[in-house]
Amino acid sequence: MAKKSMIEREKKRQALVDKYATKRAALKEIANNEDLPMEERFKARLKLAKLPRNSSATRLHNRCQLTGRPHAYYRKLKVSRIMLRELGSKGEIPGMVKSSW
């Protein structure tokens, strides 16, 4: 189980990403548009730099929904490998059968 503080920090980052997503996208569109004058693009880059650092989507880290584990994460199921195995053994994941040979 991950530390509660790390899980809460990740939730806080997700909230910031959601809050600033449209503003960040608009500023990036202006900054990357080569048809606009250089000064206007530079101002957009400065405004982009003034946004909170944690509002960038690249700062997010995938974590298991059940345990908060940051490694060995399956995107499709949103759980870690350990929880995937436990849930599969209990029969709680449809179509998943523990292999034996």
Side-chain angles (χ1 to χ4, degrees):
M1 182 88 184
K3 288 169 46 175
K4 293 280 185 196
S5 60
M6 294 303 292
I7 296 170
E8 291 304 315
R9 188 181 301 169
E10 203 63 39
K11 287 180 185 175
K12 188 177 173 184
R13 283 186 185 135
Q14 183 63 54
L16 277 173
V17 168
D18 295 340
K19 180 179 178 182
Y20 287 100
T22 54
K23 191 174 199 176
R24 187 172 277 278
L27 287 172
K28 276 192 167 189
E29 184 70 34
I30 293 168
N32 293 331
N33 188 355
E34 297 199 9
D35 296 335
L36 295 173
M38 192 64 160
E39 295 82 25
E40 193 173 333
R41 292 171 59 202
F42 187 69
K43 285 180 185 176
R45 284 277 174 205
L46 289 177
K47 286 182 184 177
L48 196 59
K50 287 191 179 192
L51 291 178
R53 186 173 280 177
N54 281 335
S55 68
S56 174
T58 57
R59 304 270 296 190
L60 292 176
H61 200 286
N62 292 328
R63 287 185 174 271
C64 176
Q65 297 264 318
L66 304 173
T67 60
R69 180 182 165 86
H71 299 291
Y73 174 84
Y74 286 88
R75 288 183 182 183
K76 192 171 185 178
L77 301 170
K78 297 184 179 173
V79 294
S80 66
R81 65 178 174 84
I82 298 165
M83 290 310 297
L84 178 70
R85 182 167 186 209
E86 283 182 23
L87 293 173
S89 294
K90 290 179 187 176
E92 295 180 10
I93 298 177
M96 186 172 191
V97 182
K98 188 176 176 214
S99 65
S100 60
W101 60 91

